[in-house]
Amino acid sequence: MANSKYEYVKSFERENHLLPDTYIVIRVDGKGFHKFSKFYEFDKPNDEIALEVMNDAAHKIMEKYSDILMAYGDSDEYSFLLRRKCELYERREMKLCTLFASLMSTYYMFYWNQYHPNRPIVWNMIPTFDGRAIVYPNFEVVRDYFSWRQVDCHINNLYNTTFWNLVKLGLTPQEAEQRLMGTVSSDKNEILFKECNINYNNESEIFKKGTILVRDYENYRVQQEDGLSSRQKQRQEKIRKKAEISIMHVDIINDDTWWDSRPWLKE
Ligand code: ATP
Ligand code: ATP
Ligand code: MG
Ligand code: MG
């Protein structure tokens, strides 16, 4: 940029560099998707294609940035875990948040239009996402973070499944809401079973558990990051890029083996 007398205004800018040596989670969430899903007439409680669109968009982001080791998504949100030593954009918070949010928005639009050639996105109802970054000091909290999101997915899905099946039985949305007020999980399971003839356990795993994308190495060896030359770092990045991205809909709250068999997530 050429120097000018106006250059000084740049000094007003403030940049937050996310704490080094901590796990970064970036979460994006669709803006006003309650309305968005009504407008595009999503299947309720779960529109499978809309979930595919989210998963494809997140997968694409993960392919693009090898620093993302795993991602978890449900509904209109996705959380991306960046490795502890990540130096992407010097860990600049604004750069990362705005970038992830805009990538999600544009990829969402792209994949939506691929799945729905006859129902493309129209200008007055476009998908937009916000983004935030959170840093976590140790892996225990990272695991709790993902447990928190998966529990949230479960609670929302059980509620929505019961709600929409009551509506299908002929209750008005207000009546269904009233019926569910003050109920706990076992009550909802019972309503579904007795009144709607649905065994919640048989619902699709993607609805109950959400989607996990995780970078899986074939022959993983622990790598010491400190003191590596830039060439060695590049080689490591190449290995990360090569690792296959697995897609699954499984319990990650109680399954220690799932985490223990992927030691690179902690690195
Ligand atoms: P960063 O990701 O750091 O923003 P950048 O490549 O986007 O990197 P900018 O400083 O934002 O860098 O500069 C934008 C660049 O995009 C310009 O240097 C110019 O080369 C190019 N560019 C943008 N708009 C136009 C345009 N309308 N016509 C030709 N070139 C353009
Ligand atoms: P905000 O802008 O505050 O995020 P929001 O309307 O997006 O508001 P959320 O709490 O993010 O509210 O909830 C997202 C809503 O989007 C859900 O309540 C649900 O109605 C809808 N939704 C998202 N994905 C799907 C899907 N695959 N199938 C059906 N409905 C969905
Ligand atoms: Mg939302
Ligand atoms: Mg949401």
Side-chain angles (χ1 to χ4, degrees), residues 3-110:
N3 276 328
S4 77
K5 68 170 181 173
Y6 306 115
E7 185 84 21
Y8 79 95
V9 297
K10 177 99 180 132
S11 69
F12 285 64
E13 289 184 11
R14 284 294 171 268
E15 192 63 68
N16 182 27
H17 292 266
L18 294 167
L19 216 58
D21 221 345
T22 54
Y23 301 95
I24 300 175
V25 171
I26 298 174
R27 181 168 76 253
V28 296
D29 184 285
K31 179 176 175 296
F33 261 52
H34 190 66
K35 243 171 117 184
F36 184 90
S37 61
K38 267 196 181 146
F39 185 88
Y40 289 104
E41 299 169 321
F42 279 25
D43 289 338
K44 289 291 182 176
N46 288 294
D47 188 291
E48 286 188 55
I49 295 187
L51 293 175
E52 285 302 321
V53 170
M54 288 292 293
N55 293 344
D56 287 354
H59 194 280
K60 201 79 198 156
I61 294 176
M62 221 168 142
E63 273 175 12
K64 206 173 164 68
Y65 294 105
S66 69
D67 284 301
I68 306 170
L69 299 181
M70 75 174 271
Y72 174 80
D74 75 290
S75 183
D76 66 340
E77 68 167 69
Y78 241 100
S79 301
F80 299 89
L81 172 67
L82 275 55
R83 64 196 190 93
R84 197 161 53 92
K85 297 287 183 188
C86 165
E87 282 302 331
L88 191 58
Y89 300 113
E90 302 151 308
R91 299 171 79 94
R92 284 157 58 199
E93 180 174 14
M94 283 196 272
K95 189 89 181 181
L96 290 169
C97 290
T98 54
L99 188 74
F100 273 59
S102 75
L103 281 171
M104 200 65 196
S105 307
T106 43
Y107 284 148
Y108 191 100
M109 179 130 165
F110 176 80

